[in-house]
Amino acid sequence: MPDPLRLQALIEECARGQESALAELYRQTSPHLFALAVRILRRSDWAEEVLQDSFINIWRNAARYSSEQSQVMTWMTRIVRNRCIDLLRRPDLERPDADGALTQAWADDAPGPFERLQRDQDGQRLADCLKQLEGQQRAAIALSFFDDLSHSEIARRLEAPLGTIKSWVRRGMDRLKRCLS
């Protein structure tokens, strides 16, 4: 993770119009921000577009950044996350694989996050505890922690009421805590 003080100095230089500062800021932070965008959007081409738009926004608003409100990386992460959400909310968003047929056709045999967790010795206890949860609780917790989705996003994905999702996650986390302790 980049040095917060160095990022602060780079933002201040960006606010004064120094393009070289933006280039350095990009070099130091773009891998993390791109990974965040890919995780949210699930498409690297969309993530690239969001990252470009985000850095334009960062450049234009560098003078408005306030260190009293948040650290630079937090501020930039919020910009990228908001751009991702804006993109996903666009009504004209291209959805070439709405039913998942293409994704299934191209699926590989590589282990997913849950399978990798099970293989990891340190994660075995957690995996065993996750198996004890009801399917819906396990799905809600997995979407929350492995896919970094909000409760609202999980509710849409699982087609369940928001309050139900919150209950599943809360009760599931309580059961996990008891199991792991």
Side-chain angles (χ1 to χ4, degrees):
M1 192 60 102
D3 175 33
L5 294 176
R6 178 68 181 135
L7 295 181
Q8 176 74 35
L10 290 171
I11 282 291
E12 290 170 2
E13 291 173 22
C14 286
R16 291 191 298 270
Q18 295 180 9
E19 293 178 17
S20 61
L22 180 65
E24 180 63 23
L25 188 66
Y26 181 86
R27 273 192 295 280
Q28 289 193 24
T29 61
S30 64
H32 172 76
L33 296 174
F34 180 73
L36 170 69
V38 169
R39 194 169 62 235
I40 294 170
L41 299 170
R42 305 251 182 241
R43 285 188 53 173
S44 60
D45 58 336
W46 289 354
E48 290 170 3
E49 180 182 331
V50 162
L51 194 63
Q52 180 180 354
D53 289 345
S54 296
F55 271 93
I56 290 170
N57 192 10
I58 289 164
W59 172 254
R60 290 180 179 159
N61 293 296
R64 294 184 187 153
Y65 166 75
S66 170
S67 61
E68 289 85 35
Q69 291 182 345
S70 66
Q71 291 187 0
V72 174
M73 198 65 191
T74 304
W75 179 69
M76 293 173 62
T77 299
R78 191 176 319 120
I79 289 171
V80 171
R81 183 178 180 279
N82 289 343
R83 290 280 177 176
C84 289
I85 292 169
D86 290 346
L87 178 67
L88 291 172
R89 286 183 178 160
R90 280 192 347 213
D92 62 335
L93 183 64
E94 167 195 356
R95 296 199 190 266
D97 191 24
D99 64 355
L102 285 174
T103 304
Q104 285 297 62
W106 285 94
D108 62 11
D109 294 332
F114 191 71
E115 292 167 320
R116 287 193 310 265
L117 176 67
Q118 285 180 311
R119 291 181 186 170
D120 183 13
Q121 228 175 3
D122 294 335
Q124 189 61 46
R125 278 188 57 217
L126 178 58
D128 290 341
C129 291
L130 280 168
K131 286 180 188 175
Q132 294 176 18
L133 298 178
E134 296 173 16
Q136 295 169 323
Q137 279 182 329
R138 185 173 46 246
I141 288 173
L143 289 170
S144 178
F145 291 95
F146 295 131
D147 292 347
D148 198 27
L149 297 181
S150 69
H151 288 124
S152 304
E153 293 166 330
I154 296 169
R156 283 193 297 277
R157 175 95 45 104
L158 297 180
E159 298 177 352
L162 179 60
T164 301
I165 296 298
K166 289 180 178 181
S167 294
W168 288 346
V169 171
R170 187 183 68 251
R171 289 180 187 144
M173 291 302 294
D174 288 343
R175 287 185 66 190
L176 284 175
K177 285 178 190 175
R178 284 192 304 272
C179 179
L180 290 171
S181 60

